[in-house]
Each structure stands twice: as C-alpha cells, then as structure tokens.
Amino acid sequence: MTIAEHELVSTVDLPKLPLERECPYRPASGYGELRRQGVTKVQLHDGQWAWLITGYEEARAVLRDSRVSSNRLHPSFPWPWRDAARSLWKLRDEGKAPVLTAGNTLLGADPPVHTRQRRLLTPFFSVKRLDSMRPLIARVVDDKLGAMIRTGSPADLLSGFALPVSSTVICELLGVPYSAHRFFEEQARLRLDTERGADALTQLWGYLDGLISTKEVEPGRGLIDDLIAQRAQGEKIERSEIVAFSMLMLIAGHDSTANSITLGALALIEHPDQLARLRSGQASLPHAVEELLRYMSIVDFTPRVATADIEIGGQVIQAGEGLIVANGAANHDGGHAERSSDLDVSRAPHHLAFGFGIHQCLGQNLARVELEIALRSLFGRLPDLRLAVPRERLTLKPGPLAGVNELPVAW
Amino acid sequence: MQIKVDTRRCVGAGQCVLCALGTFDQDDNGIVVLLRPEPVDAAATARVVAAADRCPVGAITLESERNDAVDPQVLERAPLPHRSGGPPVTGE
C-alpha cells in the first residue's frame, strides 16, 4: 500500500479511532469531546489519518455531497476497523478479483454504476412490499421465540432468537435456503478475522455463485430468482453483480438486524421506565424503534474519500483525502436532539443510523418492521425478561457493527 | 405550498411515505409518486416539511406561495402586494 504525499503527516498525536463503547448500545462518550473540536483529524489503525465529522448538520451535508466517493479500493479510503481492511487487501494480493468486486458493488460504487445497481433493487424494499411481509415476519418471530422459550431460561437472546429471526427473514426475501444458515452465518462472522476473513468471503462467494447456477436451471422464489429472470429478459445486469448483491444483502440483512434486536432488547431491559411507557400505551413502538435506532447507532462510521475540495465546518477537506462520518456521534449531537444522551421512546427524531444520501441503507424499512415485531413479541410474551448474568460479563463484538457476543437472558 | 418530486433523484428510501402517508407513495419500482401537490391543512404541511427534510437525496422541494419564500426564483414569480398602485400599508 503506497502512502501518498499528503499522508506524510505525523499521526502520533491525533486521537485514535475507533473509540471503544463503554455501553454496548450507545456510541462511545469520547465522541462528544471530539465534536467540540469540530471537524478534526484522527488516526487510524494502519497509521493513516482521516477527517472525522461528528456534528449532525455537517454529517448530513457530507453524506449528501456528490464530491465524495465510496470506492473501497481508493488508496486513501479510510478503514476505521483493522480486520475488514486486512481481509480486503489479502484478497487483492491473491488476485481473487470477483470477490473483490463484491466489496465494491452497490455499497462501494459511485454514480452512474451505483445508480443503475440501486434501481435494480429498490422495488424489493419499498414500504408496501415490506408491509406485505409483516404476516410472515410475525410468524417467524413467534416461531423462533417459542423455540427459545422451550429450551428454557436462561438462554442467549442473540443466538437463540435475534439471529434465527433475521436469518430466516432475509433467506425468505432473497430465496436462499435457510438450511444453509449455519454456513453463511459462520462465514459472515469470520469475514472480519485477519487470518480467515479473505477465505470466508471466497467461500461465501462460491456458495452463492453455485446457488445462482442452480436457480438458473431450477427457478425458485425470491429476489435472486427475480434478478436472474430479469437478466434473462435482457435487463442490464452482470451475473457477477447478482452474486455480489446476494452476498451484500445476505450479510447486511442478518448481521445488523440481529445486533439491533439484541441491543434494543438490552436497552429496554435497562430502561424499565421507558419500557413501562411502552406497555402503558404512553409511547408507540414505531416511535420507540426510531429512538432506539438513533440511540444505538450500531454503525458507528461511514467512510468516504473526497473527489474534490470540500469546505465543511470551517475546514477544507482536499481532493484525495479520506473522511469518516461518525454516525453515532452525529446522532448524539445535543445541538440536534435535546437531551440526546437520554433514551426517550416517545420521540421519533430524524437520525443518521441508516446513513444519508444515495447510499442510505437499502434495507432500512425491513429493519424497522423486524425490530418492531421482534420487540413487541419479546416483551409481550416475556414481560419479566432480564439479564441472566452480571452486566460486566457482556463482551463487545469487534468490527463495523456494534453488538455483544452473547446476551444471556432469563424470564 | 406546492410540492414537487424529482423521480430521477429518488433512491426509493420511502421515508416520505412513512412521514406523510396521504401525500407520497411508491410505484412498483419503489420510486416516489406524489399523490397530492398541496397539503390540505397545517398538520399535513408539517408532515410534508418533515418528509422533505428526511428525504436522503433531496428529491422533494417545497415552494411557498408567501412572499418570503426561501427560493429566490419563487419570489420572482410571486405577485407583489399593491401592484395596482393602491395606498401603502403602514409598517411596510
């Protein structure tokens, strides 16, 4: 990895990213101090530096700005997380080009490629389409909750409920057989490992490539089948793009939602006054979900590279420099949301938990519906749900999505 | 107030639909459809303003009919008071 001239800056004295969460379901408190410093430089794990944007208004402006690129292969693309970066460089060194393309599809694409790719997928994630999935999601939630209850208290809420729910739902939407869930959940978990990450992504690519070949001969039902059919009818879409979309949605669709359900449940367990307001009908669950999304901000960062000079918060970010929007910090900006460090389920504030701009999370409305139904059923059927271990025993999951490794609960 | 939507900018996020159900919808491709070009009352106006704010790509624009509209181009189109040459209103 070459170091460009503008990166030959002493990074030793800069604040170092990422800051570790003191509480699993809210961003590290240290971002408050960084926000007071305005748009400022930070140091990354590999010695590179990047601009950090922590204010709410600045974050919105940058994410909407067309002068930023999402290209993960740009030499200045900032990686706040050690493991993910290592996996990708290893893939590039091994010449595993197709899998590398996956990392740069949709999420890592810029207009006009991004525009075409996004348009292929938006029909599947409209509010109406996802509302029509509510009965299915409700059945899956009740089914998995029943199974967890039958195994007996205590149980791990993540592996016993949240993960089975989110994996089953995304499998149903995509048309991936749920029987493969242990395999893809494991590969998704390993993708962040410095040693095994590249291999995990290659395995997952191979599996989905094979699944698509099967579906080309024996069509099934789901988003992947729809894309295969569209391609056969002449729609402009590469076969490798179908594999890449599948990989992106499979990982994002199960991992992030499972963490959100788990952390959301923990946040409500630890805020019994807020839970009481929900039970009494004082606050509505959709509002509570929105506030939880803001509060938790499970995606702490959105990295970008400037493609032209950008003036933001009194600083000039030069073309070619890396910048990171700190979504969690922005969501806790007291200038935007009053008492931002309080969890208040009666409000439905605007927030950047799903990002902003052209890359705003494609699956956000699916996440909202799943969260709402999962939390309603969970606290409805298990009103005295509580932690089964001392709080200090909870360990944080490393990587780009906030989460805990397990959440032992009792009822 | 006149609402305008830019279907080319739209990325199908659907936040406008969640904010202001009677005003916005999505077509079969997930792209915004404007159901009502004008909000019916103050509550609807508030929801529409929120929807425009929450659109991740700025595909919703609002044009006010009042003379103190935000967009200078709209100001030029809006009729000035007393064009007919009547007596000035005190305080102007």
Side-chain angles (χ1 to χ4, degrees), chain A residues 228-292:
Chain A
I228 291 170
Q230 284 181 44
R231 181 166 173 263
Q233 283 152 30
E235 183 74 51
K236 189 183 172 207
I237 167 169
E238 299 293 324
R239 194 181 181 288
S240 62
E241 284 178 328
I242 301 181
V243 186
F245 292 154
S246 304
M247 197 151 123
L248 188 58
M249 288 185 288
L250 188 58
I251 295 174
H254 86 268
D255 203 8
S256 48
T257 313
N259 285 346
S260 299
I261 292 171
T262 306
L263 292 182
L266 179 60
L268 287 175
I269 287 170
E270 298 202 330
H271 288 80
D273 56 328
Q274 299 301 313
L275 192 51
R277 292 168 83 190
L278 278 170
R279 287 200 203 286
S280 69
Q282 244 193 330
S284 79
L285 196 45
H287 280 189
V289 164
E290 222 51 40
E291 169 68 346
L292 281 167

Side-chain angles (χ1 to χ4, degrees), chain A residues 60 64 119 122 127 348 357 365, chain B residues 7 10-11 13 26 29 54 56:
Chain A
R60 270 179 63 117
R64 282 255 344 249
R119 286 260 162 155
T122 50
V127 171
N365 297 324
Chain B
T7 55
C10 179
V11 288
Q26 285 169 291
N29 291 319
R54 286 170 192 232

